[in-house]
Amino acid sequence: MARYIFITGGVVSSLGKGLASAALGALLQARGYTVRLRKLDPYLNVDPGTMSPTQHGEVFVTDDGAETDLDLGHYERFTGRPATKQDNITTGRIYQEIITKERRGDYLGGTVQVIPHVTNHIKEFVLDGNDGVDFVLVEIGGTVGDIEGLPFFEAIRQLGNDLPRGHAVYVHLTLLPYIPTAGELKTKPTQHSVKELRSIGIQPNILLCRSDREIPRDERRKLALFCNVREGAVIEARDVGSIYDVPRAYHEAGLDREVLAAFGIEPAPKPDMSRWNAVCEAVHNPEGEVTIAVVGKYTGLKDAYKSLIEALAHGGMANRVRVKLDWIESELFEGGDPAPHLEHVHGILVPGGFGQRGAEGKILAARFARERKVPYFGICFGMQMAVIEAARSLAGVKDANSTEFGPTSEPVVGLMTEWMRGNELETRREGGNLGGTMRLGAFRAKLKPESRIAAIYGSEEISERHRHRYEVNTAYRDRLEARGLSFAGTSPDGLLPETVELADHPWFIGVQYHPELKSRPFEPHPLFASFIAAAKAQSRLV
């Protein structure tokens, strides 16, 4: 039977519960166990799909088409285990499902309440589908004391009693702030956070204490005494240089050992840390550096591009170079010359996005890369803007545009209304709901045998994750291919363009999907590895 580890947070948000969960999962894997990670989000949105990236960060998409929290990206990157729609749930989705049942009469006239109906729904979600898994790690979003999180804390409290003795462990992540005028780390915020947790019936087994410096022995003793945990279970989580140092740092601090001890598993199996040692070696000992311009529209919040940032870093690991990112707001180019901002870079990446703001700047970035022979990688929206640029500059379609921006006489990019998922036809309509209505999840594509992208993948058939509502119009395909822009990949039925590339260019590829979602530090995505290799070659020319 699976054992359950519940990860909660206190003091302040954004302490890194997702990374801590992912790192702990990786450490348990290193000891030979199988793991599953799940995220409980207290917000009322059904999923993060309609939330602004500048508020919530990126939307991570799973193979089965779920729009989920970005922490699931950490889970996948650190453990290599693909997440599913059953690994993330929100208050909004819970209430949606409960209200649907109530309207249908499933509760047989009973009064529907937070306890037991909402808490039971949460518990069923946590417990479902864990056969054959050794450990299930469950992260609760937000901070203890948040009013919206109370049903989740109550549910995991109940699970502590429902599960067999010794099958639930609680890890509480807190902050130990350093006060310069006092010259010491302060434990009182953690004490109050644990007091809040204990007031709702949860006694943490382990404290994971974030700090920017070493935690003195006396402070660990004080935390153990006032928070009612073993001294050895006060784990230092000091800041590190790279997120990929976290598994090794937490292992050295004893987190995985204490977790297993809390379950009564002693002595614990010895871990194999060779994979993470190799990753850390690649991160900290590069043999060069390349600069990549990321021309986007959400550059004010880097979490909006979290998977992209990590995939570029993975590409750097594959080529033994450090990838320096130059974040450029695409609106900066509009009405001006992009050259002063791009002449020094070794590669240009235009990521996904929505809406007209900044679109013309992305088109100018694609033009600069095409004309100056700078490696270019267009992802989703970035591919569409590259196609519009080629239509305007190469194929003579001066008014080429996207219907996403309004009516146009030359809809080179247009709204999709139907597509195939396997053998089933999926349809959408203009003006319909925005949530969960895009082309979402994994779809197969066929690549031309002689294409550059097929050579990069080493295959003519691929499966990649999508998240988009608009598509390049194949009515313009012949004119574009006649001018050198090859439609190198399509959907299996040949109707939907999946990739484009320029043959007479060092590296110019656009993809309609999001390859960054499937990149791992120990298995860099081939497109990112190839793109950084091209940038590395470019660095010798600049």
Side-chain angles (χ1 to χ4, degrees):
M1 181 180 180
R3 294 178 171 90
Y4 292 81
I5 304 168
F6 299 103
I7 298 98
T8 59
V11 184
V12 296
S13 60
S14 300
L15 279 181
K17 291 192 303 296
L19 270 175
S21 303
L24 178 55
L27 290 174
L28 292 171
Q29 282 184 327
R31 290 183 183 269
Y33 295 108
T34 56
V35 300
R36 182 174 191 175
L37 292 98
R38 288 177 153 170
K39 175 77 184 286
L40 310 179
D41 276 310
Y43 51 75
L44 280 171
N45 304 67
V46 172
D47 59 44
T50 59
M51 297 168 73
S52 168
T54 56
Q55 277 198 22
H56 190 70
E58 77 167 4
V59 175
F60 189 81
V61 179
T62 60
D63 279 339
D64 57 0
E67 294 177 290
T68 70
D69 187 82
L70 63 82
D71 279 338
L72 272 72
H74 291 313
Y75 302 166
E76 284 204 10
R77 283 187 287 274
F78 277 66
T79 68
R81 187 185 196 278
T84 73
K85 64 177 62 177
Q86 294 305 315
D87 291 324
N88 187 204
I89 199 167
T90 68
T91 298
R93 185 171 141 201
I94 290 166
Y95 275 86
Q96 184 185 58
E97 293 175 1
I98 287 174
I99 290 169
T100 298
K101 288 182 178 181
E102 186 273 332
R103 293 289 81 189
R104 206 165 50 214
D106 290 5
Y107 296 111
L108 302 176
T111 302
V112 182
Q113 298 175 291
V114 173
I115 301 174
H117 298 95
V118 172
T119 50
N120 282 351
H121 199 94
I122 295 167
K123 290 194 292 183
E124 288 167 9
F125 174 82
V126 169
L127 296 174
D128 184 53
N130 298 324
D131 294 340
V133 178
D134 296 319
F135 290 96
V136 180
L137 290 80
V138 183
E139 175 195 349
I140 293 82
T143 308
V144 62
D146 295 345
I147 190 168
E148 62 266 28
L150 286 174
F152 293 95
F153 287 104
E154 172 61 19
I156 66 171
R157 181 198 68 79
Q158 292 180 20
L159 281 169
N161 293 325
D162 295 346
L163 291 165
R165 188 182 300 274
H167 277 66
V169 161
Y170 300 92
V171 177
H172 192 53
L173 179 67
T174 73
L175 174 68
L176 266 61
Y178 179 77
I179 309 299
T181 52
E184 62 181 355
L185 289 167
K186 290 296 184 181
T187 65
K188 192 63 72 176
T190 294
Q191 293 178 44
H192 280 294
S193 179
V194 172
K195 182 180 178 182
E196 182 78 26
L197 196 60
R198 293 174 71 187
S199 73
I200 56 179
I202 297 174
Q203 166 63 53
N205 301 92
I206 294 166
L207 295 182
L208 188 56
C209 302
R210 286 294 307 272
S211 168
D212 64 352
R213 64 200 65 217
E214 183 180 0
I215 303 173
R217 177 81 183 274
D218 286 346
E219 305 307 313
R220 290 208 297 272
R221 253 197 222 109
K222 183 192 290 187
L223 283 169
L225 180 64
F226 284 97
C227 297
N228 194 34
V229 300
R230 296 169 62 245
E231 185 179 335
V234 179
I235 306 296
E236 179 180 281
R238 209 186 313 181
D239 296 348
V240 291
S242 163
I243 64 171
Y244 300 113
D245 291 324
V246 173
R248 195 161 66 172
Y250 284 5
H251 171 64
E252 291 170 356
L255 175 61
D256 48 332
R257 182 187 64 246
E258 284 297 325
V259 166
L260 293 173
F263 282 114
I265 302 174
E266 293 181 293
K270 290 185 177 180
D272 178 4
M273 297 296 292
S274 57
R275 167 185 279 186
W276 291 103
N277 291 336
V279 168
C280 292
E281 169 69 18
V283 169
H284 295 295
N285 295 288
E287 298 170 358
E289 181 177 275
V290 298
T291 301
I292 303 296
V294 180
V295 183
K297 60 187 291 186
Y298 312 120
T299 58
L301 180 69
K302 302 303 184 289
D303 271 357
Y305 301 111
K306 188 60 185 172
S307 291
L308 184 69
I309 293 169
E310 300 310 322
L312 286 165
H314 304 162
M317 295 178 202
N319 290 279
R320 303 295 297 195
V321 295
R322 177 178 291 111
V323 179
K324 178 184 176 184
L325 300 182
D326 191 354
W327 296 94
I328 301 175
E329 191 71 29
S330 55
E331 286 182 289
L332 188 66
F333 297 161
E334 296 182 358
D337 181 7
H341 303 282
L342 297 176
E343 284 178 329
H344 67 288
V345 305
H346 309 127
I348 297 170
L349 191 148
V350 176
F354 297 92
Q356 187 171 13
R357 182 178 68 84
E360 291 297 326
K362 294 182 179 184
I363 290 170
L364 287 174
R367 180 177 179 180
F368 179 91
R370 180 180 58 80
E371 292 180 342
R372 299 291 189 94
K373 305 294 186 184
V374 177
Y376 176 85
F377 195 178
I379 295 176
C380 196
F381 194 83
M383 168 180 153
Q384 295 172 5
M385 296 305 100
V387 173
I388 289 174
E389 192 284 321
R392 291 178 184 178
S393 302
L394 298 178
V397 186
K398 300 301 181 186
D399 295 325
N401 220 320
S402 171
T403 59
E404 184 176 0
F405 311 147
T408 175
S409 59
E410 298 286 1
V412 172
V413 176
L415 179 70
M416 286 189 301
T417 57
E418 59 182 47
W419 58 85
M420 297 299 296
R421 178 182 286 277
N423 296 320
E424 295 184 7
L425 178 68
E426 294 194 355
T427 60
R428 301 289 186 270
R429 61 182 178 84
E430 192 169 2
N433 289 344
L434 295 180
T437 59
M438 287 182 276
R439 189 178 183 222
L440 291 166
F443 289 85
R444 292 186 301 111
K446 288 187 176 181
L447 308 178
K448 288 182 178 178
E450 70 280 8
S451 64
R452 178 196 295 268
I453 196 166
I456 292 169
Y457 275 102
S459 175
E460 296 170 22
E461 291 192 6
I462 60 171
S463 174
E464 293 282 4
R465 299 177 188 176
H466 294 64
R467 184 176 184 252
H468 61 106
R469 186 172 281 109
Y470 291 81
E471 190 80 55
V472 172
N473 189 344
T474 53
Y476 294 86
R477 176 174 179 169
D478 291 343
R479 274 183 280 177
L480 288 164
E481 290 202 318
R483 299 310 303 256
L485 186 70
S486 172
F487 284 58
T490 64
S491 56
D493 58 13
L495 298 178
L496 300 178
E498 291 280 12
T499 78
V500 296
E501 60 185 58
L502 285 173
D504 60 342
H505 192 283
W507 207 99
F508 192 105
I509 290 176
V511 297
Q512 186 57 73
Y513 47 82
H514 289 270
E516 69 272 22
L517 300 177
K518 295 180 73 171
S519 189
R520 312 283 181 263
F522 36 81
E523 191 178 349
H525 193 285
L527 282 176
F528 283 92
S530 180
F531 175 57
I532 297 302
K536 185 177 179 181
Q538 182 77 10
S539 69
R540 302 189 184 106
L541 304 176
V542 175

